[in-house]
Amino acid sequence: GTQGSGAGQQNTCYIAGITGVTASNAQLVTINSSTGQLGVAGGSVEGTWTEVTGATQTLAVGNGYVTNRGGGVTYTLPATAALGDVIQIVGKSGIATITPNANQQILIASASGTVGVTGTAVAAVAGCCISLRCTTSGSSTVWRSDNFVGNWTLT
């Protein structure tokens, strides 16, 4: 149909069979406000989830990681990313430390980490979780947390 309130146009929509139904592969539904087209939210982690039990792990965009090492895990951000790319880390056991590459930066809420490999983000306790989204692409990638649980310290 055509969006609007004039003759032959639509300004309401009702769909039965959605409310109260739990989907096994749930995704956030979005609406393009210009066209009215329905879609799913881009940038959510739909790729591989990895349970990390080793001391280090290189992160890949579009993937999620579960920290499961009592001695903690040091994660390294990818060398580059595209605008909107997402990485998620979920704490289970041990402390997560996220290390950027040269010229990269991590931002959490109003706090800014140091640019480069010394600008780490460190979880305060096991169980802290974070979602990082690329807000500046390329080799000087800026990663901003768009969601986090627990306390994270930036250096």
Side-chain angles (χ1 to χ4, degrees):
T2 302
Q3 179 73 28
S5 58
Q9 296 179 330
Q10 297 174 283
N11 62 5
T12 60
C13 175
Y14 300 91
I15 303 173
I18 294 176
T19 301
V21 176
T22 301
S24 61
N25 61 342
Q27 292 188 7
L28 183 62
V29 175
T30 61
I31 300 171
N32 181 322
S33 61
S34 298
T35 65
Q37 181 179 15
L38 293 173
V40 295
S44 63
V45 172
E46 298 172 10
T48 303
W49 277 88
T50 302
E51 184 173 22
V52 183
T53 57
T56 63
Q57 175 72 47
T58 300
L59 300 169
V61 297
N63 289 346
Y65 301 86
V66 177
T67 304
N68 191 13
R69 180 176 177 268
V73 176
T74 298
Y75 294 97
T76 303
L77 289 168
T80 187
L83 187 66
D85 281 345
V86 174
I87 295 170
Q88 288 182 319
I89 298 173
V90 175
K92 181 176 179 182
S93 172
I95 303 297
T97 300
I98 306 168
T99 302
N101 293 287
N103 300 319
Q104 292 184 342
Q105 186 177 31
I106 301 171
L107 309 172
I108 301 174
S110 61
S112 300
T114 303
V115 175
V117 296
T118 60
T120 61
V122 181
V125 297
C128 289
C129 306
I130 194 163
S131 175
L132 295 171
R133 184 174 305 271
C134 173
T135 58
T136 302
S137 60
S139 59
S140 296
T141 307
V142 174
W143 292 93
R144 177 172 290 281
S145 172
D146 60 2
N147 192 5
F148 65 93
V149 173
N151 293 318
W152 290 82
T153 302
L154 289 172
T155 58

